[in-house]
Amino acid sequence: MPVNKMTDSEIEIKACYTAEDLVALDLNHDRPGQFPYTRGVQPDMYRGKLWTMRQYAGFSTAEESNKRYHYLLSQGVMGLSVAFDLPTQIGYDSDHALSEGEVGKVGVAIDSLEDMELLFKDIELEKVSTSMTINATGFILLAMYVALAKRQGADLNKITGTIQNDILKEYAARGTYIYPPKPSMRIITDIFEWCSTSLPKWNTISISGYHIREAGSTAVQEIAFTLSNGKAYVEAALAKGLDINVFGKRLSFFFNAHNNLFEEVAKFRAARKMWARIMKDLGATDEKAMMLRFHTQTGGATLTAQQPLNNISRVTIQTLAAVLGGTQSLHTNGYDEALSLPTEEAARIALRTQQIVAFESGAPDTVDPLAGSYFVESLTAEVENKAWELLNKITAMGGSVSAIEQGFMQEEIARSAFEYQRNIENGDKIIVGVNKFTIDKENPVPGFKIDDSIRQLQTAKLAELKSKRNQTKVDQCLSAIKAAAAGSSNLMPLVVEAVETYCTLGEIADTLRQVYGEHK
């Protein structure tokens, strides 16, 4: 008896697919650039414009990260993607006791506008699209970016980029939250409202399935939970009286690309179709407000410390999945990231992988090249159906916030992660170089480590900053933020003014802690 083949989402794969499998799917009406956008959000997709090639980078100090950004821009990167260290992500300045051992380690340390000025030194913000992976303190980093753009004399109507700003997935999968869900949602809707008039081309949220997948979810869970979270943000904005046809155009998504090429392509196609229907049901009438636009990052959890050069092949497959699935933006991981931050060589090879797919593979030459495939169309329908089942279950529970508070998403992800690991350990799932095709001795790969002295440098910079700023103005700005947080005024103008006065990230975050408390 032949063994049944299953995807990690427990979708059975038949030995052969035929035209009969497509009869019930009614694919004749699907056109790229038309509702429900299964085949892509643009009629000509990459024939008109390639996806934005990003490289996620940030480490040590702002000065050191700035050097890497200039290098990446010189190598053909089209957009920057900023990684922030853990203290920055959870609202602590580098000199805080809880920051010890973490400053500059997993990203760049940003304590004040002064650091932001150094991070983007000699980079014109009007001419580069910047993505910032930051959530709980996203509003503060966005304020710093805007303050810097103003100092450069940039036209804020031309500033483009994305702030992740997705707090719900932090409660479900990642853990870098500060405030409880309700005030966190209020901050997010303040950003939606303020950007709609003050920063109209900025993507106000990147609703992230990436970290849900990294935590161990399946492809189906990734899109079901992510789209459910997206729906919760839209409903919160509607409750505040915002126009879905305005803020809906500035929503973007962030997905993971794993190794199962065809399931990943089907996932991206199904997600577009589902989001279009969700937005239409919520009242969107503008086509652009129904389009799911997304950034993709290749799967960090798929990288192995064993035989790390094998990761180049994995990243290539994942790059193809993202491109064949119609991504708008892409970051490719370095082959050495299971061991350390990526070296310059690894970052360059990762970028070259995108460039080879773009200019040598032929994959971008036609729109949705796998459309009509008996297998891919059937798999897209299967992924969609399973994702709707899960999403409808969350809706019946009262939506994402309620499902998270009840632990439903967390338990589902944990179960899938356990099953995946068990299958690796019992050999049902082969990971090349890990549980099969291993070698006795491996050549060491040079790592890239961050020195603990970075905290001392940042602490000294903070002390100097505080000695020369106008403390009276600082106190006034923080008091104004506290009053607005306790009331209903939009926080963003006050936070922009505060960072311009050189209030630090930690001071602003602590001011809101006094009002909102911390989520436990």
Side-chain angles (χ1 to χ4, degrees):
M1 288 286 290
V3 177
N4 285 349
K5 293 287 186 180
M6 307 282 284
T7 72
D8 292 329
S9 298
E10 299 178 352
I11 295 171
E12 186 172 352
I13 304 300
K14 298 199 300 186
C16 180
Y17 289 79
T18 69
E20 291 180 6
D21 293 291
L22 305 187
V23 171
L25 300 183
D26 186 24
L27 303 175
N28 293 330
H29 65 284
D30 275 352
R31 290 286 183 274
Q34 295 180 13
F35 183 90
Y37 312 108
T38 313
R39 300 194 58 195
V41 294
Q42 300 294 339
D44 56 354
M45 287 302 289
Y46 305 133
R47 289 171 70 100
K49 180 186 176 184
L50 286 173
W51 63 93
T52 301
M53 298 182 196
R54 298 188 185 276
Q55 284 306 113
Y56 184 50
F59 53 86
S60 183
T61 61
E63 296 95 327
E64 289 301 312
S65 293
N66 176 262
K67 291 176 187 175
R68 176 64 67 89
Y69 295 158
H70 280 285
Y71 172 75
L72 290 169
L73 289 167
S74 76
Q75 295 299 306
V77 156
M78 302 170 184
L80 298 175
S81 191
V82 184
F84 297 95
D85 73 356
L86 192 57
T88 303
Q89 292 180 46
I90 54 177
Y92 294 122
D93 288 334
S94 297
D95 60 359
H96 194 285
L98 292 177
S99 297
E100 188 171 353
E102 291 293 343
V103 177
K105 290 292 179 72
V106 298
V108 62
I110 300 293
D111 294 318
S112 72
L113 177 56
E114 197 174 69
D115 287 326
M116 190 67 87
E117 290 167 339
L118 293 169
L119 185 66
F120 290 100
K121 185 180 179 183
D122 298 324
I123 296 172
E124 293 182 57
L125 301 192
E126 256 192 38
K127 295 182 178 179
V128 67
S129 168
T130 302
S131 172
M132 294 192 281
T133 303
I134 194 79
N135 297 286
T137 55
F139 65 107
I140 307 173
L141 275 300
L142 178 59
M144 290 181 184
Y145 194 83
V146 168
L148 177 58
K150 288 165 68 177
R151 293 200 173 181
Q152 288 187 356
D155 180 353
L156 295 187
N157 292 315
K158 295 179 181 177
I159 295 294
T160 61
T162 304
I163 195 161
Q164 191 163 105
N165 196 30
D166 174 6
I167 203 65
L168 291 178
K169 66 93 175 46
E170 296 295 333
Y171 302 119
R174 190 163 175 264
T176 60
Y177 45 73
I178 303 175
Y179 315 112
K182 286 182 180 177
S184 294
M185 294 292 278
R186 177 258 172 97
I187 293 170
I188 288 169
T189 55
D190 276 4
I191 293 170
F192 287 3
E193 182 179 51
W194 183 79
C195 285
S196 67
T197 55
S198 300
L199 208 65
K201 287 193 174 182
W202 191 264
N203 295 327
T204 50
I205 194 167
S206 177
I207 304 154
S208 176
Y210 182 84
H211 303 98
I212 290 170
R213 192 68 178 279
E214 289 291 284
S217 81
T218 65
V220 164
Q221 288 170 336
E222 180 187 353
I223 60 169
F225 295 163
T226 305
L227 298 185
S228 177
N229 290 349
K231 184 180 176 186
Y233 293 126
V234 172
E235 288 171 340
L238 289 171
K240 193 166 183 172
L242 303 185
D243 185 345
I244 192 170
N245 289 318
V246 176
F247 74 79
K249 297 175 188 176
R250 302 266 52 97
L251 306 178
S252 67
F253 288 81
F254 174 24
F255 290 121
N256 207 310
H258 264 231
N259 289 331
N260 189 319
L261 177 68
F262 297 107
E263 185 176 39
E264 293 301 290
V265 172
K267 176 188 79 179
F268 298 133
R269 298 173 89 246
R272 267 195 301 272
K273 184 178 181 183
M274 292 174 69
W275 185 246
R277 296 194 185 284
I278 288 169
M279 288 297 276
K280 190 172 186 178
D281 289 347
L282 288 171
T285 54
D286 189 311
E287 288 190 353
K288 289 186 177 179
M290 302 180 207
M291 292 179 179
L292 183 147
R293 297 164 298 115
F294 67 100
H295 169 70
T296 310
Q297 182 173 339
T298 56
T302 69
L303 303 178
T304 64
Q306 302 92 329
Q307 301 180 39
L309 290 175
N310 292 345
N311 294 327
I312 297 174
S313 299
R314 293 185 177 101
V315 169
T316 303
I317 291 168
Q318 294 162 9
T319 300
L320 272 170
V323 171
L324 294 172
T327 194
Q328 276 63 65
S329 169
L330 178 61
H331 162 82
T332 34
N333 289 330
Y335 68 83
D336 56 357
E337 289 191 53
L339 300 165
S340 70
L341 290 169
T343 59
E344 195 170 273
E345 179 195 51
R348 184 177 65 250
I349 290 171
L351 175 60
R352 294 289 182 259
T353 301
Q354 292 200 52
Q355 292 165 335
I356 288 167
V357 169
F359 300 109
E360 297 185 28
S361 74
D365 291 350
T366 190
V367 181
D368 193 19
L370 295 181
S373 156
Y374 304 145
F375 177 37
V376 170
E377 295 292 2
S378 299
L379 193 52
T380 300
E382 288 262 25
V383 168
E384 182 189 356
N385 290 339
K386 279 185 168 285
W388 275 124
E389 286 177 17
L390 201 47
L391 202 151
N392 290 337
K393 188 179 290 187
I394 294 167
T395 300
M397 295 173 72
S400 279
V401 174
S402 178
I404 289 166
E405 289 174 343
Q406 294 176 51
F408 173 74
M409 288 190 191
Q410 299 92 313
E411 289 171 8
E412 286 287 300
I413 294 167
R415 179 184 61 78
S416 296
F418 175 78
E419 287 293 325
Y420 186 84
Q421 187 59 35
R422 185 170 66 178
N423 289 336
I424 291 172
E425 291 177 5
N426 65 24
D428 287 346
K429 185 168 188 65
I430 293 171
I431 306 295
V432 173
V434 175
N435 63 356
K436 198 164 187 178
F437 312 115
T438 57
I439 55 178
D440 294 329
K441 186 179 179 182
E442 299 201 26
N443 295 324
V445 172
F448 181 30
K449 302 294 183 186
I450 300 301
D451 195 273
D452 283 329
S453 65
I454 299 303
R455 182 167 185 253
Q456 296 168 6
L457 291 172
Q458 286 296 114
T459 299
K461 281 165 62 178
L462 275 167
E464 184 183 355
L465 174 74
K466 289 177 181 179
S467 71
K468 65 186 182 185
R469 68 186 184 178
N470 186 323
Q471 190 60 40
T472 302
K473 284 189 176 180
V474 166
D475 293 340
Q476 289 171 348
C477 286
L478 295 175
S479 294
I481 289 171
K482 187 175 182 179
S488 58
S489 299
N490 194 299
L491 289 166
M492 282 304 297
L494 299 171
V495 177
V496 172
E497 184 181 357
V499 300
E500 288 176 329
T501 313
Y502 290 103
C503 294
T504 69
L505 174 134
E507 289 170 336
I508 296 169
D510 280 346
T511 298
L512 294 188
R513 281 184 176 98
Q514 293 171 29
V515 180
Y516 298 145
E518 291 187 307
H519 180 68
K520 302 294 184 184

